[in-house]
Amino acid sequence: QKEVEQDPGPLSVPEGAIVSLNCTYSNSAFQYFMWYRQYSRKGPELLMYTYSSGNKEDGRFTAQVDKSSKYISLFIRDSQPSDSATYLCAMNHQAGTALIFGKGTTLSVSS
Amino acid sequence: NAGVTQTPKFQVLKTGQSMTLQCAQDMNHNSMYWYRQDPGMGLRLIYYSASEGTTDKGEVPNGYNVSRLNKREFSLRLESAAPSQTSVYFCASRPTGNYGYTFGSGTRLTVV
């Protein structure tokens, strides 16, 4: 079993939809969780950062961590065509250690 | 605001050739990383440097070597390129503490 599992999609939604992206992980020691967005032929960019359990909101984006279920989510409200990208989850267990990435979910938002 | 700069952006090599991928960051970050990204495989760590003067292997180090030339620069060398090394290579850096990475724009390498 891979340490981090992420459904690759693709996921296609209409503009304005609520999008839910998810990752599961196997290492209960993970406590730092991040979401990256990667546009086609570009490098990933940090979108959200969460420590331990709970929710974090930034504009239309909400990151949620459920450590008891080893499950993290990214919600996008009022999705826009500009949200079309690949979304990668990433995590690590100790501050400063290298991140472990999911394989990414490709999202397409149609106008 | 350059961030992380990778050169070259594209490269085609013949099997057996060698080359060095360059990476430089201007954010005074301590840690630097090399990842490769392949379809269906995600980002896999090749090598990393937690601080100037140190380097460590990641998940897929075979066929690669690295040099942390100074705090700014971290290069990746392919001594004898193989078709299996066809990939997109990303360099990233991070300051001390557990912050997110800043990635470069990538090098698209094809080995024929």
Side-chain angles (χ1 to χ4, degrees), chain B residues 88-100:
Chain B
V88 181
Y89 291 85
F90 287 102
C91 176
S93 70
R94 180 166 69 180
T96 300
N98 205 68
Y99 301 96

Side-chain angles (χ1 to χ4, degrees), chain A residues 7-13 18-22 84-85 105-109:
Chain A
D7 187 336
L11 183 61
S12 296
V13 301
I18 297 174
V19 176
S20 173
L21 304 166
N22 311 292
S84 298
T105 300
T106 299
L107 171 66
S108 177
V109 181

Side-chain angles (χ1 to χ4, degrees), chain A residues 8-95:
Chain A
L11 183 61
S12 296
V13 301
E15 184 175 357
I18 297 174
V19 176
S20 173
L21 304 166
N22 311 292
C23 287
T24 59
Y25 61 95
S26 58
N27 189 342
S28 58
F30 286 147
Q31 51 183 337
Y32 301 91
F33 304 93
M34 303 175 197
W35 285 94
Y36 283 80
R37 178 175 61 196
Q38 184 176 22
Y39 291 115
S40 180
R41 306 185 81 79
K42 300 288 187 183
E45 55 179 339
L46 182 65
L47 198 57
M48 298 286 283
Y49 178 108
T50 310
Y51 171 68
S52 194
S53 285
N55 292 1
K56 184 174 183 179
E57 188 172 320
D58 183 1
R60 296 185 294 109
F61 298 89
T62 299
Q64 196 171 77
V65 175
D66 182 349
K67 290 190 71 179
S68 62
S69 301
K70 299 194 188 73
Y71 189 86
I72 69 170
S73 301
L74 177 70
F75 298 96
I76 307 174
R77 291 183 299 281
D78 187 26
S79 55
Q80 303 295 310
S82 58
D83 296 328
S84 298
T86 297
Y87 291 80
L88 301 138
C89 63
M91 53 198 76
N92 61 351
H93 60 84
Q94 184 177 343

